[in-house]
Amino acid sequence: MGEDGALLGRDELLDRCRAGLADGGGGVLLTGPAGIGKSAVLEVLAGQAAAGGVLVLRANSSATEASLPYLALYDLFARTIAERPGLLAPHLRAVLDVALLRSPGDGRPTDQLAIRVAVLELLRALARQQPVLLVLDDADCLDGASAEVLAFAARRLTGHQVRVAATERVADGREPRCLPLLPEPRTELAVSTLPAAVIGELLWTRLGITPGETSSERIQAASGGNPFYALELAQAARRAPTPPAADDPLPVPDRLRTLLADRLAALPAQAVSALLLLAAAARPHPPGTGEQRQALAAALDAGVLTRGPGRELRFAHPLLREIIYADATERQRRDCHAQLAEQLDDPLERARHRALASPDRGAELSAELAAAARLAVERGAPALAAELSQLAADRTPAEHGRLAAERRLAAARHAHDAGLPDTAKQACAAVLRGPDPAARVGARLLLVELAGGDRAGVPALLDAAEADAGEQPGLRAAVQIARADHALCTGRTDFGLAVLAEAEYHAERSGDIDQQIEVIALRTPIEMQLTPERVLPALRRAGALSAARPLASLTAAGVQLRCCLVISLLRGGEVAEAIEAVNRLRADVESAGRVKDLGQVLHLVASVHERAGRCAQAYQAGQAGGRLRLELGPTPGPGLVLSAAAELNGGTVERATELADAALRAGEQAGDAEWSAYALGLRGRADLLAGRVPQAAEHLGRCRDLLRGLGFTDPALFLVDADLVEALALAGQAERAALVLAEAEAEVTRLDRRVVMLGLARARAVLDGTGGDPRGAADRLRAELPESHPYPLEAARARLVLAELERRSRRRAASRTELVSALQAFTAAHCLPWQAWTRERLARLDGPNAELTEVERQIVQLVRGGATNRQIAAALHISVKSVEAGLTRLYRRFGVRDRAGLAGRQVAGRR
């Protein structure tokens, strides 16, 4: 479970369980192997049921106690009978007391039918008082006597308020045996394995093992998605004297071995040898000799192996591979790797197995490993490149210390690209212990990147890196780029630009194209704010520099540059082009395996699709990006911001509020003003949706202040200005609202951000409407509404404001028209929170408590005076049909059937 008690990765399963136990349901049986999480799901269901007023009765069975008759009945009912003595007739109570050892018998055999009837009648009596849930964990281990009684009762409880939730350990391919313990209708649900990402989150929340740690990834794979296996493996790895290296076997605790021991016990020795060869391989491969094939066939028959989609042999569970590999001696493992190096053709696998076959250093082997690492990068496999580079460094002869440091630094960079921050930090620490200054500069700058939002130690790292850089232009450029980035991220814009100019000078001296691109990528967001006319020429220059570079050379600077291009398109209103560009960028980053950049790119994907009115896609990208950034760290703020933004697109306001608050706490703790600002802005948007206007004004105001403090004044950066003006106006702070609006309009003019003008027109309409001129404000806003807009949600928001102004102007039909149009827009965008908000406004407009228009109020008055429809039409100068339609709406709204009922209702018009 997570810190909040939620069960990780089981939301859908819990929903299906609750549906199976709802009114009309009889019972739910959860099936699956040991450790898969059946009991955890059952515990959540029981807790929720008890909190809802259900009487929860539990039996926790064990195979060692299955021979004890009526033990489960004792667990279920002994306490209940003691606390509620009058539930059963005396003769049935006496029988049950004997069976449950609550009173001595008379020496005669217990009447089996009497026991069954007693339990049935007890359950019916309890159900008459309150709903009952029987919780049967490990129902396959129930004692036989109790199982027969409960099955008897289950067949006769349909229609009563008795539900059964049970678990059963079921091996693959076998049918469950415990369904008869459930009343009809029954729901059988298999508890599946958890995705690797969820296992990683489980290890983090329960044991503090960060998802980026190498051990976390290995445990995720070895567990096969079984949460119990994962936790047991993690705790065993922690108990080990030293953490297992990448090529070392994972320690497998005895509790897990016993679960799988029966599969391995009957295998002949030659089968174990063949399995060790398969375990040492990086991926499944065809067996070599006929003897090996025969041996593996025996393992297939024993259930140790299974066939994959391509008929290849693989371990039936990844943990079996770990057991086989761990039980072999070091010599046996090295022999297997040597054999594989001879058999395999792939240069990456061959080099890796050659290194694992011998611990000796050698120039030829280390060069082969370094070349294999470069090939891995070209194939988009940075994690494998990191492992190969580390092996290359370890196998480099001692007299080539500088080369070993370069290879170790390469390993750190590849690990960083693969989203393995702890592995990267370990490699950097090894580099810093070495004598090479250039490698130390690279290691310190990588540690600066790995610091993320936690920047307390960054200045010291930069100072040390600058000292090592000396007068070498390439190294000085790298240090100054990092120093400029740190300054810009902490709001020191002028200093950052000055340092960036120095970095550009050194980058041009060194001729390093990547560094020149990185300078442009860092400067572009600032120029978007200060000198937008320089942006396009700079991007074109960067594009020329990076032209024809292969995908494998995609760098962080290159990714940042393409992000800037997307942002420029988006702020200019070129949304279709922005979508095409950001989708290409995402595909390239995924193909290159650059996990560390993918979180940033997914953030941009979500933002672009949100502004394009594609909220379902924005929700999916935001959820994925949020999870990824939480996994990669080093601080949770960015991931929580992405998740909160996703909820405002396709989730709930309540969840968005929780996530935004958590993001704000994380940002403030890390001293990260930018991400704190975004968290405040999202919280303010959630406040507006929830009707918390004063809080919205506060949070949106703080968001804007933080962004402006960082030099971010572009109104198209984060659409906060219009929402802030609206919140301030509704909160009665008209003077401040007018000031914010004027400043935003000035920036729009200076930066030519016409795409946000509709939002500001909406804000001005709210301000004018609260100033006493709703009709004039409505007319002016209607004139501003275009037929289409690059940001569809902004157009829909404008229609919501127009609907409110029309309502206040007593033009309810026009208000309804605008609300319907807005609802259609939000529905087309799949923007769930604003859909719900708009539906609620429509219901309020047509509800019995809604204010009447002036015409409706006069119709009611004339009806009370006894006027006919024709007389009402003549008095109000409208048609008879209009009177009839108005009366029909009034009847429906107030739930009356005729004129007499309407005349008797107390209704109010606008005063």
Side-chain angles (χ1 to χ4, degrees), residues 331-537:
R331 180 72 264 168
Q332 288 173 326
R333 289 196 290 268
R334 291 193 184 282
D335 289 343
C336 282
H337 287 298
Q339 187 176 344
L340 288 167
E342 295 297 325
Q343 291 180 357
L344 300 175
D345 296 327
D346 184 84
L348 304 186
E349 293 188 30
R350 187 172 58 245
R352 176 177 175 274
H353 287 297
R354 281 194 63 195
L356 296 177
S358 171
D360 299 333
R361 296 173 182 266
E364 180 186 352
L365 175 58
S366 62
E368 181 183 354
L369 287 163
R374 292 190 291 272
L375 181 57
V377 173
E378 292 176 9
R379 292 183 179 180
L384 178 57
E387 181 185 357
L388 292 168
S389 294
Q390 184 64 50
L391 287 170
D394 293 341
R395 301 301 189 268
T396 301
E399 61 269 21
H400 300 300
R402 175 170 293 184
L403 183 58
E406 291 174 357
R407 288 168 173 170
R408 216 173 295 282
L409 179 59
R413 287 170 173 160
H414 297 323
H416 183 33
D417 290 340
L420 302 171
D422 290 309
T423 303
K425 289 176 183 177
Q426 291 168 8
C428 285
V431 172
L432 292 178
R433 291 192 294 269
D436 184 30
R440 291 201 303 266
V441 169
R444 287 193 172 97
L445 296 184
L446 185 54
L447 289 172
V448 169
E449 282 191 61
L450 289 163
D454 186 7
R455 296 186 166 269
V458 168
L461 286 169
L462 292 172
D463 291 342
E466 187 169 358
D468 271 336
E471 295 302 319
Q472 298 182 60
L475 295 179
R476 286 186 64 83
V479 174
Q480 296 302 74
I481 286 171
R483 194 181 293 280
D485 182 44
H486 176 63
L488 295 174
C489 288
T490 52
R492 297 174 294 153
T493 304
D494 292 339
F495 175 70
L497 290 174
V499 175
L500 208 53
E502 183 182 346
E504 185 173 35
Y505 167 74
H506 291 299
E508 289 174 351
R509 281 183 61 206
S510 71
D512 191 314
I513 291 176
D514 287 334
Q515 288 182 339
Q516 294 175 53
I517 292 174
E518 195 166 359
V519 169
I520 294 171
L522 279 174
R523 185 183 285 140
T524 297
I526 306 301
E527 290 184 337
M528 286 182 183
Q529 307 275 344
L530 302 177
T531 53
E533 67 276 4
R534 296 183 184 176
V535 171
L536 190 55

Side-chain angles (χ1 to χ4, degrees), residues 693 724-734 737 763 766-768 770:
V693 173
L724 175 56
V725 172
E726 182 175 339
L728 289 170
L730 294 175
Q733 302 180 50
V766 175
L767 184 59
D768 292 346
T770 57

